[in-house]
Amino acid sequence: SQSRYNEGFIRLAEKADEWHRTARWEYNLPKDLEEKDSPTKKPIIPLPEHKELRFLASMKEVRDEGREMGHCIASYAEKAVLGSCFLFHCDYGEEKASIMLDKYGSVVQSFGPKNCTNQASKWASVELAKWGKKIAEIWNKVDEVSEVL
C-alpha cells in the first residue's frame, strides 16, 4: 500500500538526518588546498567585539576548525578567501560553534560539534545576525547608487 512506502521513505529520511547530525564528517581537501594558507577576506566593517567570537582569518584556521568541530566548514575555505562568505568560531560557556555568514551579512548556518545545535550556535547566530545587518546596510547603499548610475 501507499502508506507502507511513505513510512519507509520517512524512516530513510530520518536515518539520513541522523547520520548528517552525528557522523564525524572529515572534509578531504585537494592536496594543493590542504597546503595553502591564504588569508580569508575580512568583512567591510570592523569585526564583532565579542570575546566569545573569533574570525577565522586563514585557510589553515578554517581547516583546523573543521577537524576540531567534526563538520564540513573547510569546504568553504576558498569562498572565505574570495570574500563570498565570512567564517567564525564561537566559545560560549562550555560550548563551541562554527558560524557562516554570506557576503551580505546574513547568517547561513551556525552549528556546534558534528553539526549539532547548541547554546553557542544559537547565541552566535543571534549576535552575528545583529552585526551582519551593518554589512547589509552597506550593500543596500551600493545597490541604490548603482541604480542611479
Side-chain angles (χ1 to χ4, degrees):
S1 81
Q2 184 67 31
S3 67
R4 193 173 97 227
Y5 291 111
N6 288 343
E7 288 173 15
F9 179 76
I10 290 169
R11 249 191 326 250
L12 177 63
E14 288 170 345
K15 285 185 176 203
D17 181 56
E18 181 181 346
W19 182 87
H20 282 283
R21 282 186 289 106
T22 60
R24 177 156 175 84
W25 197 87
E26 294 274 342
Y27 186 78
N28 294 319
L29 290 167
K31 188 158 181 62
D32 63 325
L33 292 182
E34 185 64 48
E35 295 169 356
K36 281 187 183 176
D37 193 23
S38 302
T40 57
K41 191 163 187 174
K42 288 189 177 175
I44 54 178
I45 62 171
L47 293 171
E49 295 185 0
H50 293 286
K51 66 177 174 35
E52 298 89 350
L53 296 170
R54 179 174 51 86
F55 177 69
L56 301 178
S58 70
M59 288 182 90
K60 181 182 181 325
E61 286 184 32
V62 175
R63 287 191 306 268
D64 290 349
E65 180 79 358
R67 287 187 184 104
E68 178 185 333
M69 299 292 284
H71 55 53
C72 66
I73 195 168
S75 66
Y76 300 103
E78 281 188 293
K79 289 183 179 186
V81 168
L82 297 172
S84 298
C85 68
F86 306 110
L87 305 172
F88 290 85
H89 175 83
C90 176
D91 285 306
Y92 186 75
E94 297 295 314
E95 297 181 328
K96 299 176 180 186
S98 304
I99 310 87
M100 176 184 173
L101 286 79
D102 65 19
K103 70 178 184 177
Y104 303 107
S106 296
V107 175
V108 175
Q109 52 186 328
S110 180
F111 292 109
K114 300 181 183 175
N115 289 329
C116 73
T117 300
N118 61 22
Q119 291 304 310
S121 66
K122 292 175 187 175
W123 178 86
S125 187
V126 169
E127 292 305 316
L128 285 169
K130 290 183 215 171
W131 172 81
K133 284 182 182 178
K134 297 172 193 161
I135 296 174
E137 290 169 8
I138 292 171
W139 277 107
N140 289 337
K141 289 178 184 171
V142 168
D143 287 342
E144 289 170 15
V145 169
S146 66
E147 286 176 13
V148 172
L149 300 176

